[in-house]
């Protein structure tokens, strides 16, 4: 199709507007960061080659952003909107590279909104997954381009994207393996792999990933934390294959239900399948097989739906390859997508605005209000030099609490029971904070004693009403330590 008539620019512009609007709505309804954003507020205080079971690329991006803006929820929401836009742009450009018609390109992009994890959870909370999706989409696009431009620089760029993708989230590697396996089975793409230029792609990817790999080998325990979520056991994980099938069905069920509306049977032989569309089908099959083999080999007992996203994001592209809807069917499809997108834009702020008083969301938690109360109490006492006290360290019992307190105390070092950096512990002026009472036998108090030698605390309590909920209060239990240990 003529690139001048392609809707790619419109698609990218509308995606940016949509994701920016939703980010703005989230920022306006609550100053509280969700779990993944709160974690980044903690980890971004220090530069390392690795932090935990997630690769460090997203944290590095946040550090660069905070170097300009300072710790900011608005900056985190803006980064999320930008990455989601880049993801949609990668899919849109891939659709154009496939030579799809205007209608098919729109189907490829709008179909993403019918994958619940992508349209809802990726906007609501996830961080690393969003970055991995964006890089997977651009990795696919660059590989498709190799059929037109297969010079050394093109392979180097593909290798760079492969390396960065692996540095975004480890399950990106499943997509990369599936892409290569799928390409091996399609003649016009197989030749792109059996060439000396592949060595430059492999070398660039290795150079990008190698420093983090060295960190992983030197820090096996924190790096392998995420694998505990798989609940790996000895033996073959046959039962988990049903979880894999259920996850795929939950993610793609709506898309599969509407596919008969979009696919119209054409006369036999009227159109030969494009090799790129065949590639997508083979990559999808290879992805399922790779995931199944990993489950069987590892004995994994728990599979999360969002871990599958890099293996399914291109399914709307595959659907678009075979779509030939009539005008009425296309209108129905667009109407359904519009309803979904509007519903998500209402539901995102609605988490706080319409929350159940018995089960408030994290966005309802008044961390900022409570932080102001605590600051007033500890800052109201003047020390011998006539200076009000401010904490040098805030140590919380959870990542969400610690991360949100960094927004209120941007000059303090903020850590949690899970995310502790011993080398950064200051000598004095510690603020200990928890959402549960700091009783002598509590789990957090026991940890403070065992890990940091803190035995004596004088707890106080701050209370504030939940945001947007008339009934109910949140308590923060805190204690001030003039000397750290």
């Amino acid at each position: 199709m003529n690139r001048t008539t392609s809707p790619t620019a419109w698609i990218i512009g509308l995606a940016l507007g949509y994701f920016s609007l939703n980010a703005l709505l989230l920022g306006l309804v609550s100053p509280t960061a969700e779990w993944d954003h709160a974690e980044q507020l903690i980890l971004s205080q220090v530069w390392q080659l690795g932090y935990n079971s997630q690769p460090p690329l997203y944290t590095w991006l946040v550090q660069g952003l905070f170097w300009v803006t300072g710790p900011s929820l608005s900056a985190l929401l803006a980064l999320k909107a930008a990455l989601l836009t880049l993801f949609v742009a990668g899919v849109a450009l891939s659709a154009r590279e496939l030579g799809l018609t205007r209608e098919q390109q729109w189907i490829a992009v709008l179909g993403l909104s019918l994958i619940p994890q992508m349209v809802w959870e990726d906007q609501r909370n996830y961080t690393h997954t969003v970055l991995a999706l964006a890089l997977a989409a651009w990795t696919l696009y660059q590989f498709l381009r190799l059929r037109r431009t297969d010079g050394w620089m093109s392979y180097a760029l593909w290798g760079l994207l492969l390396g960065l993708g692996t540095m975004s989230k480890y399950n990106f590697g499943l997509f990369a393996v599936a892409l290569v396996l799928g390409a091996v089975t399609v003649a016009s793409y197989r030749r792109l792999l059996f060439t000396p230029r592949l060595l430059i792609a492999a070398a660039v990817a290795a150079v990008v990933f190698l420093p983090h790999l060295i960190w992983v080998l030197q820090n096996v325990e924190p790096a392998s934390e995420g694998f505990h979520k798989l609940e790996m056991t000895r033996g073959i994980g046959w039962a988990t294959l049903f979880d894999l099938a259920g996850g795929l069905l939950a993610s793609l069920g709506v898309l599969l239900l509407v596919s008969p509306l979009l696919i119209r049977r054409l006369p036999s032989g009227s159109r030969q399948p494009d090799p790129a569309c065949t590639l997508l089908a083979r990559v999808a099959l290879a992805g399922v097989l790779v995931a199944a083999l990993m489950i069987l080999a590892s004995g994994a007992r728990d599979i999360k739906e969002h871990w599958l996203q890099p293996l399914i994001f291109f399914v709307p592209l595959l659907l678009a390859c075979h779509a030939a809807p009539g005008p009425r069917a296309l209108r129905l499809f667009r109407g359904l997508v519009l309803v979904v997108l509007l519903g998500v834009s209402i539901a995102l702020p609605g988490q706080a605005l319409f929350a159940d008083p018995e089960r408030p969301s994290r966005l309802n938690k008044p961390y900022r209000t409570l932080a102001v109360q605590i600051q007033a109490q500890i800052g109201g006492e003047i020390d011998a030099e006539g200076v009000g006290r401010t904490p040098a360290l805030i140590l919380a019992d959870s990542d969400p609490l610690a991360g949100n307190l960094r927004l209120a105390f941007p000059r303090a070092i903020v850590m949690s029971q899970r995310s502790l950096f011993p080398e950064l512990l200051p000598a004095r002026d510690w603020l200990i904070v928890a959402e549960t009472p700091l009783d002598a036998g509590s789990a957090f108090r026991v940890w403070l004693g065992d890990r940091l030698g803190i035995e004596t605390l004088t707890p106080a309590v701050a209370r504030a009403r939940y945001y947007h909920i008339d009934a109910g209060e949140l308590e923060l239990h805190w204690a001030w330590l003039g000397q750290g240990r």
Side-chain angles (χ1 to χ4, degrees):
M1 135 171 232
N2 191 328
R3 290 171 182 262
T4 61
T5 62
S6 172
T8 305
W10 274 101
I11 290 172
I12 296 173
L14 289 173
L16 178 61
Y18 178 72
F19 294 129
S20 298
L21 172 63
N22 288 345
L24 177 63
L25 291 174
L26 282 172
L28 289 174
V29 80
S30 174
T32 301
E34 278 283 7
W35 183 292
D36 281 14
H37 281 156
E39 180 187 54
Q40 292 306 311
L41 284 160
I42 301 170
L43 299 182
S44 59
Q45 297 173 108
V46 57
W47 190 90
Q48 294 182 173
L49 287 173
Y51 298 91
N52 49 35
S53 60
Q54 301 286 2
L57 183 57
Y58 198 97
T59 302
W60 293 350
L61 291 176
V62 171
Q63 287 174 328
L65 188 61
F66 283 177
W67 185 78
V68 177
T69 67
S72 166
L73 178 59
S74 297
L76 290 172
L77 292 172
L79 176 61
K80 172 79 73 70
L83 290 174
L84 286 168
T85 303
L86 283 174
F87 166 54
V88 171
V91 174
L93 288 169
S94 296
R96 189 177 72 179
E97 191 67 27
L98 291 172
L100 302 183
T101 66
R102 289 179 62 89
E103 290 76 13
Q104 289 174 321
Q105 290 184 48
W106 279 108
I107 289 171
V109 172
L110 295 179
L112 297 171
S113 67
L114 301 183
I115 301 177
Q117 287 283 339
M118 293 183 186
V119 73
W120 172 250
E121 290 293 351
D122 287 352
Q123 293 190 79
R124 188 188 70 84
N125 186 35
Y126 296 146
T127 51
H128 299 89
T129 296
V130 174
L131 179 57
L133 277 179
L135 287 166
W138 282 85
T139 300
L140 175 63
Y141 169 61
Q142 178 61 20
F143 186 70
L144 294 174
R145 287 185 71 243
L146 289 179
R147 209 161 54 143
R148 290 192 298 107
T149 57
D150 60 352
W152 289 95
M153 289 302 297
S154 295
Y155 275 87
L157 178 56
W158 187 51
L160 176 63
L161 289 167
L162 287 170
L164 292 175
T166 311
M167 291 286 286
S168 64
K169 196 170 178 69
Y170 295 130
N171 60 347
F172 175 93
L174 297 179
F175 163 72
V177 171
L179 179 60
V180 171
L181 291 178
V184 169
T185 67
V186 182
S188 56
Y189 287 97
R190 182 166 56 243
R191 67 173 184 81
L192 299 176
L193 298 177
F194 292 94
T195 170
R197 288 185 289 273
L198 184 65
L199 296 176
I200 190 66
V204 171
V207 167
V208 171
F209 185 65
L210 183 60
H212 175 63
L213 177 60
I214 294 174
W215 178 89
V216 169
L217 296 176
Q218 295 174 344
N219 300 269
V220 175
E221 184 174 350
S224 61
E225 176 189 358
F227 291 100
H228 300 321
K229 299 177 183 179
L230 292 170
E231 299 181 10
M232 293 180 178
T233 60
R234 291 184 177 181
I236 298 176
W238 293 106
T240 316
L241 293 179
F242 292 101
D243 293 336
L244 173 62
L248 291 171
L249 184 60
S251 299
L252 300 175
V254 177
L255 202 61
L256 294 176
L257 285 175
V258 303
S259 59
L261 185 70
L262 302 174
I263 298 175
R264 185 169 60 187
R265 184 177 297 276
L266 299 176
S268 178
S270 61
R271 180 181 176 184
Q272 294 297 320
D274 186 277
C277 293
T278 302
L279 170 68
L280 294 179
R282 303 285 176 82
V283 173
L285 178 59
V288 173
L289 292 175
V290 169
L293 288 174
M294 185 196 74
I295 291 170
L296 294 175
S298 65
R301 293 295 186 267
D302 188 26
I303 298 295
K304 304 297 184 184
E305 289 174 17
H306 69 275
W307 295 343
L308 302 175
Q309 289 190 43
L311 295 176
I312 63 173
F313 76 90
F314 53 87
V315 171
L317 269 172
L318 181 58
L319 173 62
C321 283
H322 302 281
R328 183 172 179 271
L330 193 58
R331 285 195 300 270
L332 288 173
F333 175 72
R334 288 173 174 170
L336 174 61
V337 168
L338 181 61
V339 169
V340 171
L341 294 178
L342 287 175
V344 169
S345 294
I346 294 171
L348 284 171
Q351 300 171 88
L353 295 176
F354 313 122
D356 182 351
E358 299 298 323
R359 300 179 61 186
S361 73
R362 194 174 307 281
L363 298 181
N364 293 112
K365 293 191 174 185
Y367 291 130
R368 175 176 291 181
T369 303
L370 291 165
V372 171
Q373 287 186 29
I374 294 173
Q375 176 63 77
Q377 294 180 54
I378 64 174
E381 300 181 19
I382 307 301
D383 63 17
E385 298 177 2
V387 178
R389 299 186 302 189
T390 57
L393 169 72
I394 296 174
L395 185 56
D397 64 341
S398 69
D399 279 6
L401 177 56
N404 276 284
L405 289 178
R406 189 186 179 199
L407 295 173
F409 298 93
R411 296 183 180 180
I413 300 170
V414 175
M415 302 183 199
S416 72
Q417 184 174 351
R418 176 175 176 263
S419 301
L420 184 72
F421 305 101
E423 68 278 7
L424 297 182
L425 292 173
R428 55 175 295 155
D429 296 338
W430 289 21
L431 176 63
I432 311 296
V433 190
E435 292 191 46
T436 56
L438 291 170
D439 298 332
S442 66
F444 189 40
R445 280 291 298 271
V446 171
W447 178 83
L448 289 171
D450 293 344
R451 186 72 172 83
L452 300 173
I454 298 173
E455 301 294 343
T456 303
L457 291 177
T458 305
V461 180
R463 297 180 178 87
R465 287 187 174 276
Y466 287 102
Y467 297 135
H468 309 294
I469 295 179
D470 293 333
E473 290 182 330
L474 178 66
E475 291 184 350
L476 287 187
H477 303 262
W478 62 275
W480 177 266
L481 290 179
Q483 297 294 326
R485 286 184 281 181

